[in-house]
């Protein structure tokens, strides 16, 4: 006959260790101390192992007991996760939801969503930064459940798209960058732009052809892998580039960056996109939240 350990026994061992005594553990578990003592003694007999060393003034875990306690806690944690996941699925909530967002959208605009979703569901959230075509590739390949990015107008038949806000981009460079010493008569057209290194973020698409925006073919460039690196490169004077006004404004106001003279703000709509054929409670909740509470107001 195989010896076994019940979940109840593991809960008892966990409580004894956390509370420091059989009596305190019994109080937490609403059991008589004698009941806990009996169950532990029976477990020791069944397993033929001393879980506690009773030679001292106070019973303490033996090495074997510590092993059972540590591994048992992993089992208790996995059991709780199993129950939580089953409960989520039973109520129509996804276990996980991945939200891809274009790197030009400051990620802190999604923190409210994560916080409020946590109040109504235990669905695990993944926020993944994507750049340009990489976001659409992630959505189409199923690596993302939602995509928040600049609105492109016409979308594929199986994709639903809703405008949820807008964003303005401004051309900036470090305050002492030589782009600011141009003659007032010199317009910032394509010919002028090609004189200056541009800071670009690499498209995250794995299969699709990469895209580039505001980058000219003959223009010197520095390509970085994420949005914070672009901001840092601009702050260090490595080139020129566009930033969301929400990010650029504080840096302009404190004198770190300066808007390039002769350039205008570039405004565009932000949309949330999803595949029509796959809807769960968490996805539906996130879409409704974004439509009502996305921090970047519509134009």
């Amino acid at each position: 006959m195989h010896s076994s350990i019940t979940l109840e026994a593991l809960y008892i061992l966990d409580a004894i260790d956390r509370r420091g005594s059989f009596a305190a553990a019994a109080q937490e578990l609403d059991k008589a101390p004698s009941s806990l003592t009996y169950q532990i003694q029976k477990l020791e007999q069944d397993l033929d192992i001393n879980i506690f060393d009773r030679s001292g003034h106070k019973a303490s875990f033996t090495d074997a007991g510590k092993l059972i306690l540590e591994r048992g806690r992993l089992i208790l944690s996995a059991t709780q996760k199993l129950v939580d996941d089953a409960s989520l699925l039973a109520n129509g909530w996804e276990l996980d939801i991945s939200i891809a967002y274009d790197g030009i959208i400051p990620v802190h605009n999604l923190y409210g969503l994560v916080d409020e979703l946590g109040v109504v569901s235990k669905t695990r959230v993944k926020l993944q930064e994507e750049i340009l075509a990489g976001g659409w590739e992630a959505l189409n390949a199923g690596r993302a459940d939602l995509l928040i990015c600049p609105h492109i107008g016409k979308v594929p038949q199986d994709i639903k798209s809703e405008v949820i806000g807008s964003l303005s981009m401004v051309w900036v460079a470090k305050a002492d960058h030589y782009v600011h010493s141009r003659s007032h008569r010199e317009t910032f057209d394509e010919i002028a732009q090609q004189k200056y290194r541009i800071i670009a973020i690499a498209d995250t698409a794995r299969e699709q052809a990469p895209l580039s925006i505001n980058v000219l073919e003959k223009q010197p460039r520095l390509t970085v892998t994420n949005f914070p690196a672009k901001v840092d490169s601009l702050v260090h004077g490595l080139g020129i580039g566009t930033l969301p006004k929400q990010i650029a404004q504080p840096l302009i106001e404190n004198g770190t960056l300066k808007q390039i003279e002769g350039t205008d703000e570039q405004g565009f709509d932000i949309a949330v996109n999803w595949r029509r054929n796959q809807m769960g409670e968490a996805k539906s909740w996130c879409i409704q939240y974004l439509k009502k509470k996305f921090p970047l107001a519509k134009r």
Side-chain angles (χ1 to χ4, degrees):
M1 181 178 175
H2 292 292
S3 300
S4 61
I5 304 178
T6 64
L7 288 175
E8 184 181 17
L10 294 178
Y11 279 117
I12 291 171
L13 293 176
D14 172 63
I16 292 171
D17 179 62
R18 285 187 294 100
R19 301 304 296 267
S21 71
F22 277 68
Q27 188 174 19
E28 178 183 308
L29 298 172
D30 197 23
K31 292 178 179 289
S34 58
S35 171
L36 260 63
T37 301
Y38 170 77
Q39 286 181 268
I40 295 302
Q41 288 176 342
K42 185 174 187 309
L43 180 62
E44 289 178 318
Q45 290 172 2
D46 290 345
L47 299 178
D48 194 22
I49 291 173
N50 285 330
I51 295 174
F52 287 96
D53 179 357
R54 297 173 176 82
S55 61
H57 174 69
K58 182 180 176 183
S60 59
F61 281 93
T62 62
D63 288 343
K66 289 177 184 176
L67 178 67
I68 292 172
L69 174 67
E70 290 169 5
R71 300 280 178 88
R73 280 175 170 159
L74 295 177
I75 293 170
L76 292 177
S77 177
T79 301
Q80 187 59 50
K81 184 176 180 300
L82 173 64
V83 172
D84 290 343
D85 288 354
S87 177
L88 277 177
L89 284 176
N91 290 290
W93 291 85
E94 303 91 321
L95 302 182
D96 300 271
I97 186 166
S98 294
I99 303 175
Y101 63 96
D102 193 285
I104 64 169
I105 299 166
V107 66
H108 61 253
N109 290 293
L110 299 174
Y111 292 163
L113 178 150
V114 175
D115 203 30
E116 291 198 33
L117 178 60
V119 174
V120 297
S121 170
K122 291 186 177 180
T123 298
R124 297 180 291 263
V125 181
K126 179 183 179 183
L127 299 178
Q128 59 191 66
E129 183 184 54
E130 300 286 351
I131 305 297
L132 297 169
W136 288 101
E137 186 178 278
L139 185 65
N140 293 329
R143 295 195 303 272
D145 300 296
L146 297 173
L147 169 62
I148 303 169
C149 68
H151 185 45
I152 63 170
K154 190 174 183 180
V155 295
Q157 188 67 33
D158 62 333
I159 300 293
K160 176 76 172 164
S161 183
E162 291 257 6
V163 172
I164 56 173
S166 61
L167 198 63
S168 291
M169 303 290 285
V170 291
W171 278 98
V172 293
K174 190 177 180 183
D176 61 2
H177 191 281
Y178 65 98
V179 70
H180 302 303
S181 62
R182 291 163 30 248
S183 161
H184 291 297
R185 294 188 300 274
E186 186 182 359
T187 58
F188 191 74
D189 55 15
E190 289 194 358
I191 295 173
Q193 184 182 328
Q194 289 185 51
K195 297 178 182 178
Y196 309 101
R197 180 196 291 123
I198 192 164
I199 312 297
I201 309 177
D203 194 314
T204 52
R206 304 176 189 179
E207 309 293 338
Q208 292 179 224
L211 300 175
S212 63
I213 294 181
N214 291 328
V215 181
L216 303 178
E217 190 61 38
K218 296 180 180 179
Q219 187 172 18
R221 75 183 72 175
L222 167 63
T223 303
V224 294
T225 57
N226 56 50
F227 197 80
K230 178 176 182 177
V231 176
D232 200 44
S233 300
L234 287 165
V235 166
H236 279 79
L238 298 181
I240 66 173
T242 55
L243 288 181
K245 190 174 181 181
Q246 190 181 36
I247 297 293
Q249 197 62 40
L251 295 169
I252 292 171
E253 288 174 0
N254 69 21
T256 303
L257 298 180
K258 186 176 177 183
Q259 184 169 349
I260 298 173
E261 190 173 333
T263 63
D264 297 318
E265 291 182 17
Q266 301 170 328
F268 53 85
D269 290 327
I270 299 293
V272 58
N273 308 273
W274 67 94
R275 295 187 302 282
R276 296 172 182 270
N277 60 343
Q278 297 176 345
M279 288 299 290
E281 291 293 332
K283 189 171 172 179
S284 178
W285 185 95
C286 288
I287 292 166
Q288 293 307 312
Y289 176 93
L290 290 167
K291 286 164 67 174
K292 293 176 185 174
K293 296 187 178 182
F294 189 61
L296 300 176
K298 298 178 186 177
R299 287 184 291 177

